[in-house]
Amino acid sequence: MAEVLSNDDVDAKLSDEWNRDGDEIVRLYEFDDYLDGVAFAAKVGEVAEEEFHHPEITIRYKKVEVRLTSHEEGGITEKDLRLADLFDAES
């Protein structure tokens, strides 16, 4: 079981593209068209499955919102930050 990070740890380690929303980290990715966003969401899903840590993904026309938290632990953990970095590498 991963340890929930302190607010200071999250703020220090979270990349500038991601925002904090309570016990979640959130990023909105923008694309040139709908299918690019759908393809990205599929890549994110594959990475998440490999890591066995699954985000909430919302597709809106040319935008894809990704939300991460560690539900079992009750907050943001290193797993969430690692996955955020992996998702950014796919964008």
Side-chain angles (χ1 to χ4, degrees):
M1 190 175 224
E3 183 177 316
V4 174
L5 298 173
S6 71
N7 290 337
D8 289 339
D9 284 342
V10 173
D11 292 341
K13 296 177 180 183
L14 191 63
S15 76
D16 291 339
E17 292 84 16
W18 287 81
N19 296 301
R20 184 123 187 229
D21 185 10
D23 287 341
E24 298 178 316
I25 56 173
V26 182
R27 179 162 179 198
L28 187 65
Y29 296 88
E30 297 189 40
F31 299 92
D32 291 333
D33 63 46
Y34 175 74
L35 290 179
D36 288 344
V38 170
F40 173 73
K43 287 182 197 175
V44 163
E46 290 174 14
V47 170
E49 186 65 16
E50 288 172 8
E51 295 292 317
F52 200 70
H53 191 59
H54 303 95
E56 178 179 314
I57 304 169
T58 305
I59 301 171
R60 297 184 201 115
Y61 189 45
K62 296 182 181 184
K63 297 177 182 179
V64 176
E65 181 184 73
V66 178
R67 292 178 167 269
L68 287 162
T69 191
S70 295
H71 294 286
E72 301 81 24
E73 288 79 4
I76 301 166
T77 67
E78 288 287 347
K79 292 189 299 185
D80 301 303
L81 299 178
R82 173 177 159 66
L83 218 51
D85 289 341
L86 292 172
F87 294 165
D88 287 350
E90 292 293 330
S91 66

